[in-house]
Amino acid sequence: MRVFVTGASGWIGSAVVPELIDGGHQVVGLARSDASAAALTAAGVEVQSGTLDDLDTLRDVAEKSDAVIHLAFKHDLVYSGDFQGAAEADRRAIEAFAEVLAGTDRPFLIASGTLGLTQGVLATEAAGHQPIPAGATGPTARRANAEFTLSLAAKGVRASVVRLPPTVHGDGDNGFMTRIIGTARNTGVSAYIGDGTNRWPATHRLDVAHLFRLAVENAPAGSTLHAIADEGVPLKQIAEVIGRHLDVRAASISTEEADEQFGVLAHLLELDSPASSALTRDLLGWLPTHQGLIADLEEGHYFDR
């Protein structure tokens, strides 16, 4: 298949691309900079210059492709506190793809997340599909985008949503783990909130990439898939590993102190949001084979930067 991938040079996309190529697919990647274009060219990808805001470009390339994998998201807006702006840009891109994919039965995959789907209960693929009021904001707006994508199955699109854990880890990760480690290094405290028993799921990015390939090839229309290997790693355990590697103390802090310690990430680090991928494994035969988060942290590469 000729597969159009947004976010092709990003953390997950740069793993999905070789996975697709190894599977015999041709990849067209969206590049918003010369550096991204060069990286994609070196990876054997046909480059399409543009951004998520270039809706005509998105429509044109999608119309000429056999499948679309939408991975790009404006994370820079998220980290600056404008999650709403990122979610709205995401929705516009999804709607643009929907216009040209309707009635084609072509695969259309988007990335979403598991964090916050449930609180203190193992989230399955069936969770989080309750109706979402119009005008939803923040992370709920992104879940609304995922539900809209699933609704495209009724319009002749083989649409699927791949929910990612908050930590897709591996050497080179610049996501949540890197930011938490940077905070511990800068403050001299590897902090966790309360008793630290709240849990985050996690998956190695190469296992995530393999799931995307299986999904674009075989996932039925309307599938919700969980790219989850570690169902729930306690935040205290993560903090203790970080503290040991940085030679700083691991310590509990209050909710009030968390705002000062972690800024916009504080409310996320309070969530107890374990998740399962049992249904996904049964549906597609996906089996994570790479090391878990704690083993990856213990290797030390997160602390060399």
Side-chain angles (χ1 to χ4, degrees), residues 109-187:
L109 277 63
I110 74 160
S112 187
T114 64
L115 192 62
L117 281 175
T118 57
Q119 177 66 13
V121 178
L122 193 70
T124 72
E125 292 86 340
H129 295 299
Q130 64 272 20
I132 298 174
T137 60
T140 304
R142 193 176 191 190
R143 289 203 294 276
N145 293 349
E147 293 305 298
F148 172 73
T149 299
L150 292 174
S151 75
L152 299 176
K155 298 183 178 181
V157 183
R158 186 154 66 83
S160 300
V161 171
V162 180
R163 289 174 175 167
L164 305 176
T167 293
V168 176
H169 57 88
D171 194 357
D173 175 18
N174 279 313
F176 284 135
M177 283 301 109
T178 301
R179 291 173 181 272
I180 293 168
I181 290 166
T183 297
R185 180 181 281 117
N186 292 336
T187 64

Side-chain angles (χ1 to χ4, degrees), residues 215-236:
V216 79
E217 292 172 347
N218 299 310
S223 298
T224 297
L225 307 168
H226 277 193
I228 302 297
D230 292 328
E231 290 188 346
V233 184
L235 272 291
K236 180 180 180 180

Side-chain angles (χ1 to χ4, degrees), residues 71-86:
L71 300 175
F73 195 72
K74 294 188 175 184
H75 293 287
D76 53 337
L77 293 184
V78 175
Y79 290 130
S80 70
D82 186 16
F83 200 113
Q84 186 65 22

Side-chain angles (χ1 to χ4, degrees), residues 167 169-170 172-191 200 235 237-249 261-262 265 269 293-294 296-305:
T167 293
H169 57 88
D173 175 18
N174 279 313
F176 284 135
M177 283 301 109
T178 301
R179 291 173 181 272
I180 293 168
I181 290 166
T183 297
R185 180 181 281 117
N186 292 336
T187 64
V189 178
S190 182
W200 272 18
L235 272 291
Q237 185 179 5
I238 294 171
E240 288 173 341
V241 174
I242 293 172
R244 189 169 66 253
H245 278 268
L246 294 181
D247 195 23
V248 301
R249 65 187 179 92
Q261 179 81 0
F262 294 113
L265 297 184
L269 292 168
L293 174 59
I294 295 301
D296 206 0
L297 287 171
E298 293 285 19
E299 281 199 350
H301 55 80
Y302 272 95
F303 307 97
D304 295 335
R305 292 172 258 164

